Amino acid sequence: MHKLLNDSPGEEIMLLGNESIARGAIEAGVAFATTYPGTPSSEISLNLFQMSQETDLYFEYSTNEKVALEVAAASAIAGVRTMCMMKHVGLNVAADPLMTLAYVGIKGGLVILTADDPYMFSSQNEQDNRYYGKLSGLPVLEPSSVQEAKEMTKYAFELSEKVGEPVILRTTTRINHSSAFVSLGDMKKRETKGEFKRDPFKYVTVPAVARNLHVKLLENLDKTLAISEDCEENFIEGDGKFGVICNGVSYLYVSDAIKDLDLKGKIKILRIGLSNPLPGKMIKQFVGSCDKVLIVEEGEPFMEEAVKAFAQEEGIIIPIAGKSEQLFSRLYEYNPGLVREKMASFFGFDYTPATNIDSSKFPEIPQRPPNLCSGCSHRATFYELQAAAREMDIIVPTDIGCYTLGFLPPLNTGDLVICMGASISSACGFSEVTDKKVVPIIGDSTFFHSGITGLVNAVFNNHNLTLIILENGITAMTGHQPHPGVDMDELNFKGYNRISVEKVVRSLGIEHVTLIKPFKVKKSIEQIKEALAFKGVSVIISQEPCAIMLKNLKTRKLRPFKITDKCNNTRDCINSIACPSFFIEDDKVNIDPTTCVGCAVCAQICPENAIVPLKN
Amino acid sequence: METNRLIIVAVGGQGNLLASKVLAEAALLSDTPMRMSEIHGKAQRGGIVESSIVFGDAASPLITDGEADVLLGFEPSETLRALPRCSKNTKIITNIAPLPPFTVAIGLGVYPDIEEMKKIIRQETASLMAFDAMKLAKEAGSPLTMNIVLLGALLKAKGVAFTKGKMEEAIKRVTKPAFTEMNLKAFNLGFAVEA
C-alpha cells in the first residue's frame, strides 16, 4: 500500500512537503487530478499518480498546463473534487483558462497548486504567482510549514466549494522540498462521478454572459474577503508595540528570530495565510496598534504595497517597510539569519551576526555543474551537430529539459532559452532577421507540450530552419514522467495510446524529415549535414531512449568500455564530449566501468581506436 | 531543547538522502523535533546535493551561512566549498576519498591537494575529523555503504545527540533488510574512527 494511503489517523510520519500536500488532497477526498510535471511541484503528482494505480482516484499527466487546467476545470464544474498541479511558470501557460474559469466558477472544489521557486533552484525565473490571485480574482492560500501544507490543502478544497471558485495554493521550494513530521488525519471518501447540467447562460462566456459573470466573480471575491478577515489562516501572535507581517516560510524565520533575539513581548506577528484578498480590516487594526511595522515576504512587495495603502486609508502615519536597499530584497530566497539581522536593525535591537569562514583565500575549487549523464544520447547528438556545422555559423535556440545543459563546454550547444516551446518559435524570428542557419533543439515532452504550434508556424510562414527533436521517450529532467510519445506498455501501464513524433511531423507536410540514431556517429553527422543544407523547414528526429530510464528498467545490458595501450593521450574523447565516466589517473584517461553504459560514442571519436569493450 | 544545525554536502549518487532518512528515523525514535530541507533535482546529473537538518526547538528548516553547528562532508572538495556555511566553532566530519568533478577531467579546474585541504579546514575550525570513508565502506562490503560509515563517524564526533542504540535501530528500520547487516558493520566501522 502507498504510504500516503495509511489509514491510521493521529500517526506521525516524516513527509516531504510535496507528500504532505498530496496526503492533504487525499484526506480531502480528491477524486481527479491533472498536471504537467515541473520542479519543485513534481513529487505531488508522482505520489497522486502512484496512488491512482491502487485506488479509484483519476490522475493524468496532461500535455501541458493549459490542457491540465482545462481538463480539471470540467471535472470541478461537474462537481468532482479536483486538483491541478504545476510549477510557477506553468501557470503562465494555464493563465488563459485560469482567467475565464474564474468567471465561470466551479461546483466541486478545485485546487490549483503553483510551486514558486525563489532563487531559481531549477527554474528560468522567480516570478511571484500571488499576483495571479489578484489578476484573476481568485483566493490564494500560502502554507508556512510542511504540516500546514497538508492542512491548508484540505482547507483549500472547502474554501473553493464555499465560494464557488478555484483556489490557488501557492508554495515555494522551501515548502515543497522540506521534510518534517506530519500528523495524519482522516481520509474523506472520494466521489468520483459528477454531473453536468446544461446552463448556457452560466457557462457559455459570450460577452453578454461574461458581463454578468464578472459581477458574480466580484461577489465571490467579497465572500472570500469576509472569510479572509475571520479565518484561522490569518492570525495574530504575540504582543508588543512592534509588528511584523509575514507569509509562507518567512513566518518560520520571523518566529525563530523573535526567540533567538529574545524579543517576546516586544514584537507581534500577523501571519497571512490567505493572501488574496488580504484582510484589510485586520491589517488596519494590526498596523494601528503598532509603532513600526516590517513586512517580511520573499518575492515582490505584494503585501507591502497593500499594507501601505490600508494605512493611508486609515490615516496611520508610522514607519512601514519591507523592500529597500537597507532591508529586504526582491531577489532570491530569505533565510533565518537574514531575517534576524533585518528585524534587529529595523526595530533597533542589538545583534551581531555569526561570522562565517572567509573562503576568499582558499585554493580554487573546481566547479561541479550538473552534467549530462554517462551514455546520454543528447551528448552524442550535440557532438554530431557541432561536427556537421563546423564550417557554418549557426544559432541554436534550445528549450527546457536535461538537454539545456548542452550549453556548457565542451558541447557549447544552446544559445537562447526563454520558456517551454520557445526554441522553435524564436528560431522562426532569427531565421528572418539574421542570415545564419538556425537550428532549434527541443525534447519530445516539450515538443508535445508547446513545440507543435511553433513548428506549424514555421511551416506555414516558410521559415528556414532545421529543427532537432530529441526523442528519448520520457520527460527526463523532472524525474521520468510519461508524455504522449511514451510507450506506456513498456512501462507496464495499460490503457494509453502512443503518439508518434515522426507521424506528427510528417503530417504537417514537412518534406525533409530525417531519423537519426545518435550512437552511430559518422552516419548521423552526414545526415545532419544534409538536413542543414536544405532550404526551408527540415526536421531531424534523434531517437535513443534516456540512459537513466534504461538503467532503471534494466532492459539493456550494460557493456562498459575501456581504454587500451593504443591511447596516445590526444584526449579527443574528453575534449569533445566530456562524458562523466572519464577520469584522469596518472595523466592518462580512464573509463569508470561502473558508470559507463557502453554507448560507444567515444570509441567512434577516438583517432587511435584505443577505446574498446571491456569484455570482448 | 538545544538546537543543533547540521549540513550534509554530497555529490549526486553518494546516498545522502538515505543518510538523512536514517537521521529522521533516529529523531523520531528519540522524540527529537527535526526539520530538513533538501535541494533536489540535480542529483542524478552529477551536481551537488545539500541537506540542511535542524534538530531541536527551531521552526526554520534552513541554515544560514556561518550558523551550521556540524558539517558532514561526503566528498573533500565539497566540504571545502561548504566552509562558508560554517563558523570557527563548527564541527567538521569529512570523507577524504575524492570524487573529482568532470570539469577537472576536461581541464577547466584543478582538484585541490587533500593534505592542503585538511590543513585549511584545521586552521579555520574547531574540530576536524577527516578519514577515508570509502575504504571503510569497501571493508564493510560495498562502496554504497559509505553514507552509513559517515553516520557512524558523525555520532562518534558527537555531531548528533542520539544514542548508538537508537541510530542502529534507525538503520535497521530504514535500510533494505538484505543490506542491514552490511550497513550496521559500516556504521560501526565509522563509529570506531578516532574523533
Side-chain angles (χ1 to χ4, degrees), chain A residues 395-444:
Chain A
I395 302 175
V396 183
T398 186
D399 224 298
I400 298 194
C402 296
Y403 51 91
T404 318
L405 295 173
F407 86 102
L408 291 169
L411 298 165
N412 302 316
T413 305
D415 300 324
L416 174 72
V417 173
I418 304 175
C419 63
M420 296 281 285
S423 55
I424 308 176
S425 337
S426 62
C428 296
F430 279 133
S431 73
E432 291 301 317
V433 299
T434 72
D435 293 327
K436 293 180 181 174
K437 182 78 193 187
V438 192
V439 188
I441 289 177
I442 195 166
D444 45 4

Side-chain angles (χ1 to χ4, degrees), chain A residues 12-14 16 39 43 121-122 173-174 177-181 249 252-253 255-256 259-260 333-338 340 351 354-359 361-373 402 405 408-410 476-480 548 552 571 574-575 578-580 582-584, chain B residues 1 3 5 11 21 24-25 27-28 32-42 44-48 52 57-67 75 77-78 80-88 90 92 99-112 116-117 120 124-125:
Chain A
E12 284 214 337
I13 56 173
M14 175 65 73
L16 188 67
T39 314
E43 296 88 355
F121 288 102
S122 46
T173 304
R174 288 294 168 187
H177 284 174
S178 287
S179 303
F181 297 116
V249 74
L252 305 182
Y253 306 156
S255 307
D256 279 350
K259 198 173 119 260
D260 296 344
E333 63 167 4
Y334 299 167
N335 62 67
L338 174 89
R340 203 187 302 131
Y351 170 64
T355 317
N356 65 334
I357 293 172
D358 172 18
S359 61
K361 287 182 198 138
F362 291 2
E364 205 172 314
I365 308 162
Q367 291 302 307
R368 197 185 293 272
N371 186 8
L372 295 171
C373 307
C402 296
L405 295 173
L408 291 169
M477 186 68 163
T478 46
H480 295 95
I548 305 187
N552 294 347
R571 298 200 183 175
I574 277 188
N575 294 334
C579 172
F582 295 128
F583 65 97
I584 311 271
Chain B
M1 190 180 282
T3 311
R5 296 182 169 91
V11 175
K21 271 193 188 144
E25 193 65 25
L28 186 66
T32 303
M34 169 186 171
R35 284 147 304 281
M36 62 182 172
S37 179
E38 271 144 10
I39 291 309
H40 294 215
K42 294 171 198 152
Q44 283 189 311
R45 287 152 198 91
I48 303 161
S52 299
D57 290 332
S60 314
L62 196 58
I63 301 170
T64 301
D65 283 2
E67 297 186 1
E75 202 284 336
S77 72
E78 293 313 325
L80 189 65
R81 201 196 307 275
L83 277 203
R85 314 279 283 120
C86 307
S87 72
K88 61 180 185 345
T90 307
I92 300 190
L99 201 66
F102 81 97
T103 47
V104 171
I106 62 173
L108 288 175
V110 179
Y111 196 83
E116 173 74 16
M117 283 195 273
I120 293 170
E124 299 283 346
T125 62

